[in-house]
Amino acid sequence: MSADGFASTPPPGARSDWTIEQDWQSYTPAEHQVWMTLHERQSKLLPGRACDAFLHGLDALDLHRGGIPDFSRINAELNRLTGWSVVAVPGLVPDEIFFEHLANRRFPAGRFIRTPEQLDYLQEPDIFHDVFGHVPMLTDPTFADYMAAYGEGGLRALGRGQLHNLARLYWYTVEFGLLESADGLRIYGAGIVSSHAESIFALDDPSPNRLGFNLERVMRTPYRIDDFQQVYFVVPSLQALLDATLQDFEALYGRLARQGDIPIAAIEPGDQVFTHGTQAYAVSRT
Ligand code: PHE
Ligand code: FE
């Protein structure tokens, strides 16, 4: 999502809001090929796994067209649909800059793409994660409102010193969220849809817990950044997610400051359990 720390000076060549030109003309054929390889693999896998809003977004933005998308092309349609646009940044940006962009319906995306050796894993979000993973959901009006509200909430949480709680909400929804549908669980999280292996693991593996989304519960649950998740949270609908976050978080932050964290793989008495995971995968990795 964004870099820790307080570095607020943009790198050389970036504007004061950390944006840069995408400079689409300068991508090499090899870089376009990496996008096409990743795109092809995911678009074969995701029907029946990703939620309808995501799949519709891929179509609406015509991300199937060959090669790395030109932001100016996708922004015309994205802007028309939900008022959002994608802006290029050099890499992770400071929290405050990130939230400021979201609150103004701009999604900061890395302009660089991973190398062919990094098809399955890289640490920093690249253009494939940011654009293929995040941008299709921004064509959905409800999710688009949620992301903008999150940006405003982020600025408030930052001022209140409670970003660690709010960051968990982002993680377990925007990055790793699952959605209930009439035909079973579906993915909407960008961290899942941009990963071939986790698109399978998140839905099919018996290891992770899959629990009903509960705002306070999610904000008390730590997450891991270095491996598949041990718990996924399922929202009944995108509207329910938006509705749950419309309340002022002030009272919630007060409670969270007094409550402890919930261990990552725990199942609590009030949890709605879709899967009581074996945690076999997580155990095998320790
Ligand atoms: N309602 C939240 C607040 O009062 C803002 C928010 C909205 C946070 C949506 C996250 C997602 O801070
Ligand atoms: Fe992301």
Side-chain angles (χ1 to χ4, degrees), residues 1 98 107 125 129-130 133-134 170-171 174-175 190-191 194:
M1 107 191 239
F98 181 72
F107 190 78
H129 169 79
D130 282 336
H134 284 282
Y170 190 90
W171 193 263
V174 176
E175 295 291 355
S194 62

Side-chain angles (χ1 to χ4, degrees), residues 122-144:
L122 83 169
Q123 217 154 2
E124 269 208 44
D126 71 338
I127 193 170
F128 187 75
H129 169 79
D130 282 336
V131 174
F132 183 93
H134 284 282
V135 176
M137 288 303 292
L138 294 173
T139 64
D140 179 88
T142 308
F143 193 83

Side-chain angles (χ1 to χ4, degrees), residues 38-51 54-55 58 128 132 186-187 192-196 198-200 203:
L38 290 165
H39 174 278
E40 195 186 38
R41 197 164 66 153
Q42 286 313 88
S43 41
K44 272 194 197 127
L45 180 64
L46 292 174
R49 289 184 180 273
C51 70
F54 178 87
L55 296 169
L58 276 186
F128 187 75
F132 183 93
R186 294 289 184 267
I187 306 162
I192 310 177
V193 291
S194 62
S195 159
H196 186 78
E198 198 152 358
S199 294
I200 298 168
L203 293 179

Side-chain angles (χ1 to χ4, degrees), residues 142 213 235-245:
T142 308
F213 175 87
V235 294
S237 65
L238 297 172
Q239 188 63 49
L241 173 62
L242 179 62
D243 290 347
T245 53

